[in-house]
Amino acid sequence: MAAHTVNRRDFVARLLAAAPDALVVTGLGSPAYDVFAAGERDRNFYLWGAMGGSTAMALGLALAQPDQSVIAITGDGEQLMGIGSLATVGARRPKNLAIVVLDNGHYGETGMQRSHASLGTDLVKVAQGFGIPGAQRIDQITGVDDLARRIVARQDTVFAQVLIDADEPPRCLPPRDGSYVKNRFRAALGFHPF
């Protein structure tokens, strides 16, 4: 496998700049910090304690909002925890769903223990095995441009494993009030709060 060298913050910032209207669901921890650092948006939904849930939540959102691009931005540890959600993604394959796994090969939130992504699990092959044929691995920052084009085009479900370096940039903490985040997100979609 290629080296983990992509800068996570640069990658996420470029991706969101190229897909400014996308609905974004983040995994907990560093992916949420990366998305928030790229710029606060009403269309960001941050998960703070639902490890393994970002892909499943983004899938539901993509099915409910078929005219919107939906991106789950998560880490390898979280995707491994929610690996079964990829089976449902593969069965449904919404064309407007993209899953972007920022893979540093570690569980950053629990002390940087090695994840199975660095112990032999090939997330691209796993995604393909679950029925996502266009799954791809990105090991250069320049890969963000083609990924963004695929997301905006909405022609098939996208799965991208991005080999990021293991550096931990300073934390940029998004809002932690779940009701606030939920209602703001609903308002961005034209719904009333509840």
Side-chain angles (χ1 to χ4, degrees):
M1 186 178 297
H4 293 247
T5 60
V6 176
N7 179 286
R8 62 184 314 142
R9 288 275 162 87
D10 293 344
F11 190 90
V12 170
R14 284 178 60 168
L15 177 64
L16 296 181
D21 297 325
L23 301 171
V24 177
V25 178
T26 74
L28 78 166
S30 295
Y33 312 150
D34 298 334
V35 169
F36 183 71
E40 178 66 319
R41 308 163 59 242
D42 291 350
R43 293 175 158 251
N44 293 346
F45 195 94
Y46 308 103
L47 293 180
W48 274 101
M51 187 166 182
S54 62
T55 294
M57 183 170 176
L59 170 62
L61 185 59
L63 293 173
Q65 298 290 324
D67 296 327
Q68 308 263 356
S69 294
V70 177
I71 309 172
I73 298 180
T74 188
D76 54 304
E78 181 181 349
Q79 188 57 70
L80 285 162
M81 179 173 259
I83 202 74
S85 61
L86 292 179
T88 307
V89 170
R92 298 298 302 263
R93 286 184 55 187
K95 295 179 178 180
N96 60 329
L97 175 62
I99 302 157
V100 178
V101 179
L102 303 173
D103 178 6
N104 63 6
H106 295 82
Y107 291 98
E109 294 308 304
T110 58
M112 295 301 282
Q113 301 89 354
R114 292 180 69 188
S115 78
H116 287 79
S118 66
L119 297 171
T121 298
D122 186 327
L123 290 173
V124 170
K125 287 183 179 174
V126 168
Q128 290 170 340
F130 276 127
I132 308 170
Q136 67 178 124
R137 182 172 298 113
I138 297 173
D139 61 3
Q140 300 290 323
I141 188 77
T142 53
V144 72
D145 300 324
D146 181 60
L147 176 62
R149 275 192 293 275
R150 292 178 63 204
I151 290 171
V152 172
R154 288 186 264 162
Q155 294 182 339
D156 201 357
T157 301
V158 171
F159 179 96
Q161 176 191 23
V162 184
L163 301 181
I164 61 169
D165 62 45
D167 290 342
E168 289 192 61
R171 293 184 175 188
C172 296
L173 301 177
R176 294 187 72 156
D177 182 332
S179 294
Y180 166 76
V181 172
K182 175 199 68 174
N183 287 328
R184 184 187 66 174
F185 194 81
R186 287 179 55 84
L189 291 172
F191 297 113
H192 295 292
F194 66 85

